[in-house]
Amino acid sequence: MKKDKSNEAAGKLFDALGKLFMIYFDISYYGIKKIKVKSAMTWFYITLALMIIFSLTYNYDFLVILNKILPFAFTDTVIEFFVKLSWVKYFLLFSLGALFLSFPLIGAREYKKIKSYQNDFNFLSLKAGNGTAPKVIRVIEVDDYKTKVFLKSEGIGIDRYQSKVSDLTTALGQIVEDIRPCKNPKFVEFSLTKKSLAEKVSYYEMPESKNSPYTFSIGESLGGFLTQDISTLPHMLIAGTTGGGKSVFFKQTLVSLLKGSNNIQLYLLDLKKGVEMRPFEDLPNVKVIKTEKDAVNVLKNLRNEMDRRFDYLEENKLKEISPKRDKMDKIIIGVDEASVLYTKVKSDSAKKKYITEARELTDELSKLSRAAGIHLILATQKVTKETIDTKVQENIGGRMCFQMNTLQGSMTVLGNKMALNLPDIKGRGIWASGNKFTEIQAPFLSEDELETELALLGKEYESKTKTFFGPMVALEKVEGEKKKVITKASENEKEKKNGSSEDKTNG
Ligand SMILES: Nc1ncnc2c1ncn2[C@@H]1O[C@H](COP(=O)(O)OP(=O)(O)OP(=O)(O)O)[C@@H](O)[C@H]1O
Ligand SMILES: [Mg+2]
């Protein structure tokens, strides 16, 4: 009888120990997975930590402490065993111990996350034919708001998850943005978000940038409204498949810039016959260019203007153009559907000549124009080295990427697949600046609203409440020498002569 009881107790103890080991291995497994074995930094930290701990413990003080806390485990025999070890053996034993402890420590957070998501999914009581439930295998926190959860689906189809979206939302306490099969269709990926972006954000919801000139709206992110100063970019790329919202974004950017600042000149190259840019044409500080030939001419003249500005900077020992101080406008060169202008053609036609020239000029402008206050905005469906020169791409500081339908497309613009994974919402894009990627909903400005805004701007230029210095760069080929360098001194002279009546500045 007594023997039975003690056997039972031993069995229970054995079971418990077994369970403990299972949990230990479970947690350690996530820890091991998290360790980036190939990273030199990982090994540096591991070595450093071992060295520190080793040098701190090799004096055995810690054994005395352990003996006081746990006298039954750290008996004199145990202590003697440690003290008698050679330092090499001690170090090896110690490293091994540390390794076994560190795995579960590193994996604990991941394990907790996975268990918690597993619990939430268990609420759905989704089961395959043989009674197995889907298993959470990985959780990635994309940012403060977004999480991706990967499930081993155990034979449950996507449609069954989709039919339970509302249950899932309440179980998880997060919005289910997307459910899609992974490359290996045994696995399913859930995109969850704590807050969701609006599906449409009106241009008028964006904060006005009246107090910070040369700033435009990017859109609404989960963290709030984003704006950007074009001076710091200095060039921008807008990419995405057809219908994603490039042209709308392009136009709202221009309106946003014009509304918030004086002293801007716009040169809009729109080789789709100028349809998109037509509404801007009536403004005195805008030129819309519709043919390859004009495009090349205007780019050449702008390149000359850039050279002139550099001469001016050098002569006056200045670093960069400040429109107010130097009485020169900021110049924005916008190209909608850039691939139409830049895509190399094979035939030996006049078109080929224009395209080659346009590419070279754009390359020159993109490299140098920042200090000269000249900025490029390029919108295009395709981004390859055939459409936009790699050299130009290197000089682009800000990228707005709407949905892309190929992995390669997303990779070339952003260097990751974020644009491929975007939900199918017009105006939804990724804003990439430096190595930061933010999902945004771009401001929507309808055609009617655009017309209204441009009409208002037209009136402001007419009444000189909004101004620019001018003159505009010519569209035609300008023969002969570069224009004489205008220095600040000679400008002041001229101003003195003319008095301030001709003042075109905005003060
Ligand atoms: N930010 C936005 N919010 C809501 N809807 C938008 C937004 N941007 C664009 N749309 C809608 O999508 C349509 C297509 O947008 P847009 O013309 O800008 O696309 P695109 O990327 O320029 O396409 P394409 O490559 O064919 O020129 C618009 O007519 C508009 O209805
Ligand atoms: Mg377009």
Side-chain angles (χ1 to χ4, degrees), residues 199-203 218 238-252 272 276 336-337 379-381 402-403 425-428 440-447:
E199 295 203 357
K200 198 163 188 175
V201 174
S202 161
Y203 173 83
I218 300 283
I238 307 168
T241 46
T242 180
K246 295 183 296 294
S247 296
V248 170
F249 185 75
F250 190 80
K251 287 183 274 193
Q252 78 81 27
K272 273 184 177 173
E276 292 282 7
D336 193 16
E337 216 32 79
T380 181
Q381 271 182 38
F402 295 101
Q403 199 179 42
I425 297 168
K426 289 199 183 295
R428 183 63 59 89
I440 58 99
Q441 181 63 32
F444 180 68
L445 185 67
S446 72
E447 282 299 308

Side-chain angles (χ1 to χ4, degrees), residues 22-57:
M22 285 302 282
I23 293 175
Y24 169 84
F25 283 119
D26 238 16
I27 302 177
S28 300
Y29 167 74
Y30 295 114
I32 293 167
K33 270 213 314 201
K34 264 198 128 170
I35 296 174
K36 294 187 182 103
V37 190
K38 280 185 191 157
S39 147
M41 274 326 257
T42 307
W43 289 105
F44 171 75
Y45 284 129
I46 289 179
T47 320
L48 189 72
L50 285 178
M51 291 299 187
I52 293 173
I53 301 173
F54 178 68
S55 53
L56 285 180
T57 57

